[in-house]
Amino acid sequence: MASSLPSDHKAKIIDGKAIAQTIRSEIASEVSHLSQKYGKVPGLAVVIVGTRKDSQSYVSMKRKACAEVGITSFDVDLPEQVSEAELIDKVHELNANPDVHGILVQLPLPKHINEEKVLSEISIEKDVDGFHPLNIGKLAMKGREPLFLPCTPKGCLELLSRSGISTKGKKAVVVGRSNIVGLPVSLLLLKADATVTVVHSHTHNPESIIREADIIIAAAGQAMMIKGSWIKPGAAVIDVGTNAVDDPSKKTGYRLVGDVHFAEASKVAGYITPVPGGVGPMTVAMLLKNTLEGAKRVIEK
């Protein structure tokens, strides 16, 4: 096991913040090219319902990122008690607006609104989150290409490819099967010719499966669940988890940790993403990239 590595082995840190910054500057230059050549820029509508603190901070981060690369942001802030019909009307209005190339509805929605119904009303050409059932369906099929890939899974694969880690023929284990990360990232890895296993809450003996992986995508939402001893020496570890754990030494009273025990894993893995500063910044960068791609399909026609 880990004994095959020198005792002072340190995994190479995959710096998601730096990679995301590179991608954002690539996007900014493409946006300015569109603006100069066609007099048009990409537009992203970000819809938020209610006043959840975490949702508000994600949304303001997304709007700020738009401004930074020159994407026009259409802000739609609706009250908690808005009806499902009114929200759907708003979505239809954005579908019809030619200056809007991407529509994002911040999840979760209040209990009285059917999430599935709202998401399927977003025009597939503007579904920059990649959650429309038609986009997910195409992602699941061989030889079909979705118009958009979900942002976090797309960011995970981009981190691997920009770090020179190949997926072809590799054993990849995805921990977690959520609609937002686990499931689509497993489909993406399959498209990228990896041999994919999905580990979830009903899996027996998950560590023995994880220990075989060349690539681990941890997206279970369980703080520090994956220990160093579960990791094959030299494996690439992409940690999607963001869990708050109590830490009285911090001003906020907590700190963020991933689904992987970072200190232990760093002594065994070949590559690892930190939390924060790994997958998080990539999710926003991929949202901007999807918006740009959607805009180019319309503007460069």
Side-chain angles (χ1 to χ4, degrees):
M1 295 308 298
S3 55
S4 60
L5 292 168
S7 60
D8 61 351
H9 171 81
K10 272 271 179 283
K12 188 174 186 316
I13 304 291
I14 299 176
D15 185 345
K17 215 170 166 181
I19 295 172
Q21 202 43 62
T22 302
I23 292 168
R24 279 155 82 141
S25 54
E26 293 166 5
I27 293 167
S29 71
E30 284 209 56
V31 169
S32 88
H33 167 77
L34 284 178
S35 172
Q36 282 158 16
K37 191 169 176 188
Y38 300 97
K40 291 191 170 122
V41 296
L44 174 66
V46 184
V47 181
I48 182 171
V49 179
T51 54
R52 268 180 71 120
K53 282 273 176 292
D54 57 346
S55 290
Q56 283 184 323
S57 77
Y58 290 139
V59 163
S60 72
M61 199 164 65
K62 288 165 184 173
R63 288 171 176 168
K64 211 171 116 215
C66 281
E68 193 192 302
V69 298
I71 290 175
T72 304
S73 160
F74 292 80
D75 303 348
V76 181
D77 299 73
L78 299 168
E80 182 84 28
Q81 58 286 355
V82 72
S83 73
E84 183 177 286
E86 284 173 287
L87 175 55
I88 288 172
D89 281 349
K90 200 75 213 168
V91 167
H92 289 166
E93 202 179 295
L94 296 166
N95 283 344
N97 184 340
D99 297 326
V100 172
H101 305 100
I103 300 168
L104 175 141
V105 175
Q106 184 64 43
L107 304 178
L109 289 169
K111 292 276 179 283
H112 68 278
I113 295 175
N114 180 337
E115 202 166 276
E116 188 181 349
K117 195 167 171 205
V118 172
L119 293 181
S120 63
E121 290 294 331
I122 295 172
S123 154
I124 184 172
E125 282 87 12
K126 299 187 180 191
D127 172 39
V128 283
D129 250 342
F131 294 150
H132 191 288
L134 274 173
N135 275 325
I136 294 285
K138 285 180 186 235
L139 174 59
M141 292 171 81
K142 205 175 170 179
R144 307 283 164 88
E145 290 303 324
L147 285 171
F148 299 103
L149 296 172
C151 302
T152 302
K154 182 174 177 163
C156 291
L157 269 83
E158 192 81 31
L159 286 173
L160 291 170
S161 74
R162 291 200 184 224
S163 304
I165 299 159
S166 126
T167 48
K168 204 178 187 137
K170 297 281 178 65
K171 280 189 180 170
V173 172
V174 177
V175 187
R177 53 174 170 179
S178 73
N179 288 337
I180 293 177
V181 187
L183 179 79
V185 86
S186 66
L187 296 171
L188 257 181
L189 284 161
L190 203 52
K191 264 209 199 307
D193 299 323
T195 301
V196 183
T197 308
V198 179
V199 165
H200 50 78
S201 55
H202 294 273
T203 303
H204 293 295
N205 214 357
E207 61 265 43
S208 64
I209 298 170
I210 294 168
R211 209 175 271 129
E212 293 198 339
D214 304 307
I215 295 167
I216 299 167
I217 312 272
Q222 298 286 324
M224 300 195 276
M225 161 191 159
I226 298 168
K227 311 295 179 210
S229 60
W230 296 22
I231 294 167
K232 175 167 138 179
V237 180
I238 305 289
D239 192 350
V240 185
T242 321
N243 310 287
V245 297
D246 291 339
D247 184 345
S249 74
K250 290 271 188 273
K251 203 165 67 204
T252 51
Y254 67 89
R255 66 191 160 96
L256 292 180
V257 299
D259 289 352
V260 177
H261 192 303
F262 185 82
E264 289 180 11
S266 302
K267 298 190 173 90
V268 190
Y271 295 83
I272 191 166
T273 60
V275 174
V279 175
M282 291 298 289
T283 298
V284 179
M286 293 300 111
L287 172 66
L288 300 175
K289 203 172 163 94
N290 277 352
T291 305
L292 170 67
E293 284 164 11
K296 278 163 70 173
R297 278 195 280 264
V298 175
I299 295 170
E300 290 179 344
K301 265 213 297 244

